[in-house]
Amino acid sequence: MYKIVILTDSNRRYLEVLMTNNLLDVLHHITMAQQTQLNLTTKLSRIVYEETYATESGAVDRLKELQTYTRMQRERLVRRQNPNWLNLHPAVKPVVSLYNSTHYAS
């Protein structure tokens, strides 16, 4: 099973199209990138779109097609399947820094 996924950040600034045959690796990579504060992958914290294909050739063809799409076309695609841009895999959550939190005395 091959999956085409679109990843984005919390502000929807970036839209990245990826193909994978192991979604758990993608989820793990996102989580590790958030924890180690890596460059661009830190921003990609949500999977907002996914398609599943039985063959690699079908997935590669679709990946090539989606990579030629404009940003507006990708946004329309996401909105059709996921109108509220919710994270389809909630196990991937943004890492909250302990240093930026506010503590109130009780």
Side-chain angles (χ1 to χ4, degrees):
M1 297 265 286
Y2 293 89
K3 289 196 181 268
I4 301 293
V5 294
I6 296 180
L7 301 164
T8 189
D9 62 332
S10 59
N11 295 324
R12 301 181 201 163
R13 185 173 180 179
Y14 299 98
L15 288 176
E16 187 71 31
V17 180
L18 299 174
M19 182 185 88
T20 183
N21 63 350
N22 190 348
L23 191 59
L24 293 177
D25 281 347
V26 173
L27 298 174
H28 178 71
H29 179 70
I30 292 170
T31 304
M32 293 307 296
Q34 289 172 348
Q35 292 173 355
T36 59
Q37 298 298 315
L38 294 177
N39 52 18
L40 178 62
T41 55
T42 304
K43 296 176 178 78
L44 302 175
S45 59
R46 298 176 183 195
I47 296 177
V48 292
Y49 180 82
E50 69 179 84
E51 295 178 0
T52 305
Y53 291 89
T55 64
E56 183 178 8
S57 61
V60 168
D61 291 342
R62 181 64 171 162
L63 177 67
K64 288 178 183 178
E65 180 183 358
L66 289 177
Q67 287 176 337
T68 63
Y69 278 19
T70 64
R71 178 179 179 87
M72 187 178 293
Q73 289 173 311
R74 290 180 191 180
E75 285 183 8
R76 284 184 194 142
L77 192 64
V78 171
R79 283 193 184 107
R80 269 190 245 131
Q81 181 182 350
N82 187 0
N84 294 326
W85 291 70
L86 300 175
N87 189 1
L88 299 178
H89 296 278
V92 180
K93 295 180 183 173
V95 175
V96 178
S97 171
L98 298 175
Y99 300 109
N100 294 335
S101 62
T102 305
H103 300 281
Y104 296 100
S106 52

